[in-house]
Amino acid sequence: MPELPEVEAARRAIEEHCIGKKIKRSVVADDSKVIDGVSPSDFEVSLLGKTIVAAHRKGKNMWLQLDSPPFPSFQFGTVPNLFDSQNPRNFTLTLFSSSLSERMHESLGSLVQGNYRDDFRSAVNDTDEWPSKYSKIFIELDDGLELSFTDKRRFAKVRLLKNPASAPPISELGPDALLEPMTIDELINSLSKKKIGIKALLLDQSFISGIGNWIADEVLYQARIHPLQIASSLSKDSCLELHKCIKEVIEKAVDVGADGSQFPSSWIFHSREKKPGKAFVDGKKIEFIAAGGRTTAYVPELQKLIGSQAAKAPSSKPGKKTVKGRKNENSDDDPNAPGSEEEEKAKSVKSKGGRSTTRHGRKLPPAKRKISESDDDDDDDGSNDDSDEADEKTRTTKKPPAKKKSKKAMTMTSGATTTRVTRRKR
């Protein structure tokens, strides 16, 4: 999922290439899960003929200021693509989330070298589908530049607002970690009042906005703080180190355009996606636990619980990287999300409706449970985790086989151009 550096890279790209240009044409997907609170036709009409005046960001949200309201606002599930349609081999910019950009860099090789480096991240080849079938908003500007906001997994939210900064979710965000950093005194004072694990607190967007899972892991590793350490128990020295590391990690990631391949080799970022038992940083073993409802990478040798938590800490054991029970990937913003598989099992001890697990003094046989083919929340097959609620029901009741998913084709027409978007019916 994109975090502050990825969204800031997108904002800067739009600011550099799109300011002062008029929207000539737009195509908005008929997808109410992503396009929130407005019909595709109304959205298209509101953009047509407008000039892009500025691009703004707070936390993981970005919005375009046009010459008159309403303004399109983006809460990203993926990061936008910009492409120069007049010369398919000489594109302007393409931005992806960090993991995707790394794969693109590996496949493109020398295409990301030389004079191009300052202008773009990776290429849209003339053999690629354009716009993508996962495009949610496609915009053509008066000079031929095209923008496509894509979201394969449908985690983004796109809204049309008169004043995005004063409306939820942006109005509910805490200070931006890059633009409005807390002073050291403000941070120490805030932490002293928080009886919550430090990683869960960093993921709370109402506390500090823009920090997501990988940034929180990196900051805590660099500051040598255990992810489960209670925030109010941190020493002054730990608070000082945390304040410094938040600034350094975010500024470095932004300076290199959120290009993971250019992050320092000493960062835990490069190994946090490896399998347990095979992940190391500077020769030290990385282990995985659940913290703040998210899979968390940390180095036990360097990040130790302190104070009263140290005495209560169980022996460290490597854990699975996937945290079950999450409803969607946006749980970066929910520090109270389920934290472990054990917690989920505890919740399901009592069956639905409070039905007793015994009958006439005898134990009932265990309920059959539907087994998911994959719990990998980083899968790029376009699926999401909306089926969690259905899975919960199948733990107590056997359901008939689900009908085979079918593809649904959708055609959207704008002017003389027809865009065909194919998506899976959910």
Side-chain angles (χ1 to χ4, degrees), residues 55 65 150 163 168 206 214 286:
Q65 181 180 340
T150 62
N163 187 356
S206 66
W214 80 257
I286 298 171

Side-chain angles (χ1 to χ4, degrees), residues 13-28:
I14 291 176
E15 184 176 66
E16 179 180 356
H17 299 286
C18 303
I19 299 302
K21 298 178 181 180
K22 183 177 291 187
I23 298 174
K24 178 181 177 182
R25 182 171 66 95
S26 67
V27 178
V28 179

Side-chain angles (χ1 to χ4, degrees), residues 49-192:
K50 299 288 185 67
T51 299
I52 299 176
V53 175
H56 303 281
R57 180 197 58 78
K58 185 167 185 178
K60 306 173 189 179
N61 295 262
M62 186 183 77
W63 67 98
L64 302 183
Q65 181 180 340
L66 308 178
D67 53 5
S68 64
F71 307 139
S73 172
F74 305 88
Q75 188 175 4
F76 290 116
T78 56
V79 187
N81 301 336
L82 292 168
F83 176 68
D84 184 357
S85 62
Q86 295 177 342
N87 187 348
R89 293 185 180 274
N90 186 22
F91 52 88
T92 304
L93 178 75
T94 302
L95 293 170
F96 298 86
S97 64
S98 56
S99 59
L100 288 177
S101 67
E102 288 177 351
R103 289 201 290 272
M104 289 295 290
H105 278 291
E106 290 173 0
S107 63
L108 293 170
S110 62
L111 290 180
V112 293
Q113 304 299 322
N115 296 330
Y116 297 105
R117 184 62 196 88
D118 293 334
D119 295 327
F120 62 84
R121 288 280 302 282
S122 51
V124 174
N125 299 313
D126 52 4
T127 56
D128 292 340
E129 179 185 32
W130 184 263
S132 165
K133 63 183 178 181
Y134 303 109
S135 175
K136 303 305 175 185
I137 295 186
F138 173 79
I139 295 174
E140 180 182 356
L141 302 179
D142 56 2
D143 68 342
L145 188 72
E146 296 178 346
L147 296 81
S148 176
F149 293 86
T150 62
D151 184 16
K152 180 178 180 179
R153 301 183 70 182
R154 303 172 72 211
F155 288 146
K157 289 292 183 184
V158 183
R159 303 174 177 91
L160 198 61
L161 304 170
K162 290 184 178 180
N163 187 356
S166 64
I170 298 174
S171 63
E172 299 171 345
L173 297 175
D176 184 86
L178 176 67
L179 304 177
E180 309 161 304
M182 290 185 183
T183 66
I184 182 58
D185 290 337
E186 288 173 337
L187 181 63
I188 292 174
N189 183 56
S190 296
L191 293 178
S192 68

